[in-house]
Amino acid sequence: MPSPYRALFAAPGSKSFSTAGFLGRMPLSMMGIGVVTMISQLTGRYGLAGALSATLALSAAAIGPQISRLVDRHGQRRVLRPATLAALTAAAGLLLATYFSWPDWVLFVCAAGIGTVPSLGAMIRARWAALYRGTPQLHTAYSFESVVDEVCFIFGPIISIGLSTAWFPEAGPLLAACFLAIGVFWLTAQHATEPEPHRRAHHGGSALRAPGLQVLVTTFVATGTIFGAVDVVTVAFADERGHKSAASVVLALYAAGSCVAGMVFGLLHPAGRPERRWLAGICAMAVSMIPLLLVGNLPLLAVALFVSGLSIAPTMITTMSLIEQHVPRAKLTEGMTWVSTGLAVGVAVGSSVAGWVIDSAGARAGYGVPAVSGAVAVTVGFLGFRRLSRPAVGRGGVVEYHSERKERHVA
């Protein structure tokens, strides 16, 4: 591991909470694709599979920010454990309903209940912010966590799809629930690194009232649509060619591209305004969707997805920097979760629409969904760019203060 990353873990407890966060985030990449694989295997209905995945994502989008808002106010331990127990109960219900072929409405109720799963990525980033706020190390920490996210997306689909196709259909979601339980209960057992709650600072409503955060969330709805559609369409694309299990490898390469880019980006100290880099990243993500419409086999698809993944992690890292600038410190966890919520809403829309397109016109036509979503993300990014140029007063701490100070000095 390069020295800037090694230096992060000099802080006591950092290795332990980061490892717990890694385990707790594995369900992020395993549960949705696991449900798609499980339902498609048992019923052959990609529309139902996509709709259930969408229900899960929409529920998490609605409930997740409220959980994080409670975390900011009452602390991680008091909120995360009961929320996780509720999610695990719903996951158990979904597996039982699938195994015993209960009515579809029971599947949807259970999928909605899984939405109480907490946003572990936001919790871990909040711990890093408490350790390194206002220093260059926070940029490195956010980069490291983006790499961890992508590692989860590399191995999560492989494990989930692999187990569900080689062992039994419910195996992927079942293991995802186990990872969630271990990660959350291990993380909440660590008190020393838990950020102090802000019980008296929650006035003025939700963090989403910040104009800059509204732009980020809206744009990431379109970005999430890309991710949700790519997941579902890739599984169907591989299935049409008789290699359904290969979808996990192809999706892993998509995440691997982001992982490589995130690791390199964390070693850099990019100059210039973060909102400009963010917009450039959104544009790159959109353009990279176009080649997917042209590929005709799995090897070419794998290459195209790896290249398109190179723009993901740098864009996400810069997004976290912008949240630090636009959200008050007392609402930082909620602000980070709202971006995840935007992604979740997009994933719900993307997986649902893509499932409908696949059922109607085939898998290859499904790649039109992420292409259109990329164009929407770029449009929203340009329209809201001015709001991102006005940081909020009392924000959570400027991650890239060194670049801004350099620019002021040069000016």
Side-chain angles (χ1 to χ4, degrees), residues 103-190:
D104 288 353
W105 69 266
V106 179
L107 299 177
F108 282 99
V109 170
C110 293
I114 300 175
T116 59
V117 62
S119 177
L120 264 291
M123 306 304 159
I124 300 302
R125 287 177 172 90
R127 293 196 181 215
W128 284 121
L131 288 175
Y132 293 122
R133 179 174 286 113
T135 70
Q137 283 84 357
L138 190 53
H139 168 78
T140 307
Y142 284 164
S143 299
F144 177 78
E145 291 304 321
S146 289
V147 171
V148 171
D149 284 338
E150 299 311 328
V151 169
C152 290
F153 276 97
I154 290 172
F155 292 104
I158 293 176
I159 296 171
S160 188
I161 296 175
L163 288 179
S164 292
T165 54
W167 197 4
F168 57 91
E170 299 88 353
L174 177 62
L175 184 60
C178 293
F179 277 135
L180 176 64
I182 295 170
V184 169
F185 284 90
W186 184 11
L187 177 67
T188 52
Q190 303 173 45

Side-chain angles (χ1 to χ4, degrees), residues 37-53:
T37 306
M38 175 179 68
I39 298 298
S40 64
Q41 275 191 278
L42 294 175
T43 69
R45 297 164 62 190
Y46 278 98
L48 175 63
L52 285 172
S53 180

Side-chain angles (χ1 to χ4, degrees), residues 68-75 197-198 202 330-334:
S68 292
R69 191 175 186 184
L70 291 172
V71 167
D72 280 331
R73 191 166 188 175
H74 301 290
H198 301 272
H202 280 256
K331 301 178 181 179
L332 183 59
T333 307
E334 182 192 351

Side-chain angles (χ1 to χ4, degrees), residues 308-342:
S308 65
L310 295 174
S311 59
I312 296 175
T315 306
M316 293 299 298
I317 295 164
T318 307
T319 300
M320 295 303 161
S321 301
L322 290 171
I323 292 172
E324 284 274 326
Q325 294 185 11
H326 290 274
V327 174
R329 181 176 301 179
K331 301 178 181 179
L332 183 59
T333 307
E334 182 192 351
M336 291 179 176
T337 305
W338 272 115
V339 171
S340 299
T341 294

Side-chain angles (χ1 to χ4, degrees), residues 241-333:
R241 282 146 185 82
H243 301 285
K244 187 173 184 178
S245 61
S248 60
V249 178
V250 175
L251 291 173
L253 287 172
Y254 186 36
S258 179
C259 183
V260 170
M263 182 68 75
V264 173
F265 191 70
L267 300 175
L268 306 175
H269 296 290
R273 300 180 65 85
E275 60 269 20
R276 292 178 181 174
R277 291 198 305 277
W278 175 83
L279 186 58
I282 294 295
C283 292
M285 291 173 65
V287 172
S288 69
M289 291 296 105
I290 298 175
L292 302 183
L293 296 168
L294 308 176
V295 298
N297 56 61
L298 285 173
L300 286 178
L301 176 63
V303 173
L305 284 176
F306 178 84
V307 173
S308 65
L310 295 174
S311 59
I312 296 175
T315 306
M316 293 299 298
I317 295 164
T318 307
T319 300
M320 295 303 161
S321 301
L322 290 171
I323 292 172
E324 284 274 326
Q325 294 185 11
H326 290 274
V327 174
R329 181 176 301 179
K331 301 178 181 179
L332 183 59
T333 307

